[in-house]
Amino acid sequence: MKAAIIGLAGATLGAEETALLRHAPPAGVILFARNVTTPAALSRLIDDLRAILPAAAVVMIDQEGGRVARLRPPFWREHPAAAALGRLYAHDPAAGRRAAFLQGALIGGECAASGLDVVTAPVLDLAIPGADAVIGDRAFAADPEAVAALGAALASGLLAAGVQPVMKHIPGHGRAEADSHLTLPVVAASDLAADVAPFAANAPLPWAMTAHILYPALDPARPATLSPTIIRDVIRGAIGFAGVLVSDDLAMRALTGAPGDLAVAALDAGCDLVLHCTGALAETASLLDACPAITPAAGERLAAARALARTRRDPALLAAREALAAEREALLG
């Protein structure tokens, strides 16, 4: 099983895609809006993937709520952006935490019902005034304690649905003044204690996603995704994260280079898995060809993440989704 999670071209598997997945099976697949039409079609696609991929492989989706959501009405619920939960928390912390838990449980329940097992949320970046809008209302708040508390609550809801959460973008994207989809942001601050605090508070979570950001105070030459220093000393060290570390999308313009070269560099730096989302067959094939198999340590982390979600799953909660949705709406007013 290759140490990569890849994107797909469309809502069904083509013959060449199927052949590639059989020839060089990745550790997982990530789905986007282009892969999602109806609940029945999504379930068929995931069933087809499960029939091809190794048993340990994951099927992942971006489903934060707000503007980052691949499952949308009319077939799935509209979920508020994280900032709405942050505003409630500022007024009533207990209500904010409860609403964040409910949000995680509702998102997780919908994803689990479709056969998805990993959701790339919560966003633990800070809402820094003047920063680029790429994070914006995807962040809960500017206060690290609020972000830590709300992120923990949302992740707990996802786990209660049997879904594995991914905290992002470690060690912190909120201060960036550029969009890493378009260029490499540089965060020049020398004191990043506030930025890393929500991640440290949530270090027991099973997954984290790296930030494609250059932090000169931590590594003047390499962005976090490609930095052995940041991964070893900050993410694994100071933050204390011991779970599955996956890169952000290697196809984003913050990074330059061939997909396979970037994959090897990120894995050599200490990522367990790399993410490549375009779904373009030639790019995906090139990446998988260059990508090594997952390491034994990465395999153990994947197994631990699956076991945690299985242990935390609450079937009674999943059976009460309409009541949970009504409670969340009442809390948010």
Side-chain angles (χ1 to χ4, degrees), residues 11-12 31 35-48 76 114:
T12 59
L31 301 183
N35 309 120
V36 177
T37 53
T38 66
L42 177 59
S43 293
R44 282 195 299 272
L45 174 61
I46 294 173
D47 287 346
D48 290 344
W76 294 277
S114 295

Side-chain angles (χ1 to χ4, degrees), residues 63-66 78-107 121-124 127 136-143 145-155 157-158 324-325 327-333:
Q63 192 72 3
E64 298 171 9
E78 191 82 40
H79 300 283
L85 303 170
R87 288 191 292 271
L88 175 60
Y89 181 91
H91 171 70
D92 185 337
R97 287 192 299 271
R98 178 62 179 172
F101 172 83
L102 295 169
Q103 173 117 327
L106 289 164
I107 289 173
V123 172
L124 298 187
D137 66 358
R138 298 167 63 194
F140 292 111
D143 174 50
E145 290 187 11
V147 174
L150 292 168
L154 192 141
L158 288 168
L324 299 182
E327 182 184 357
R328 182 189 63 180
E329 298 315 308
L331 287 169
L332 289 170

Side-chain angles (χ1 to χ4, degrees), residues 48-291:
D48 290 344
L49 288 167
R50 298 288 185 201
I52 297 168
L53 295 174
V58 300
V59 183
M60 171 188 285
I61 198 164
D62 281 329
Q63 192 72 3
E64 298 171 9
R67 58 194 157 102
V68 178
R70 316 307 180 195
L71 308 182
R72 289 188 174 273
F75 300 112
W76 294 277
R77 292 182 196 279
E78 191 82 40
H79 300 283
L85 303 170
R87 288 191 292 271
L88 175 60
Y89 181 91
H91 171 70
D92 185 337
R97 287 192 299 271
R98 178 62 179 172
F101 172 83
L102 295 169
Q103 173 117 327
L106 289 164
I107 289 173
E110 289 177 333
C111 291
S114 295
L116 295 150
D117 46 18
V118 178
V119 170
T120 65
V123 172
L124 298 187
D125 305 315
L126 303 182
I128 301 294
D132 188 87
V134 67
I135 298 299
D137 66 358
R138 298 167 63 194
F140 292 111
D143 174 50
E145 290 187 11
V147 174
L150 292 168
L154 192 141
S156 183
L158 288 168
L159 286 165
V163 169
Q164 303 163 48
V166 181
M167 59 178 179
K168 58 189 188 185
H169 304 83
I170 200 167
H173 200 303
R175 206 171 292 277
E177 296 180 358
D179 182 349
S180 55
H181 293 87
L182 306 175
T183 190
L184 177 63
V186 177
V187 170
S190 58
D191 182 1
L192 295 168
D195 304 66
V196 304
F199 296 99
N202 285 278
L205 290 182
W207 288 70
M209 180 182 290
T210 63
H212 293 336
I213 292 180
L214 186 69
Y215 307 88
L218 304 177
D219 185 333
R222 291 161 296 196
T225 300
L226 305 179
S227 172
T229 302
I230 293 176
I231 291 175
R232 180 189 65 240
D233 296 344
V234 180
I235 295 175
R236 298 297 193 194
I239 290 173
F241 176 67
V244 181
L245 185 65
V246 62
S247 77
D248 205 345
D249 181 10
L250 297 182
M252 291 161 61
R253 294 180 188 171
L255 306 182
T256 58
D261 293 341
L262 289 172
V264 170
L267 294 168
D268 285 349
C271 290
D272 291 309
L273 302 171
V274 295
L275 187 63
H276 189 271
C277 300
T278 66
L281 190 67
E283 290 181 11
T284 304
S286 173
L287 177 125
L288 290 175
D289 182 59
C291 205

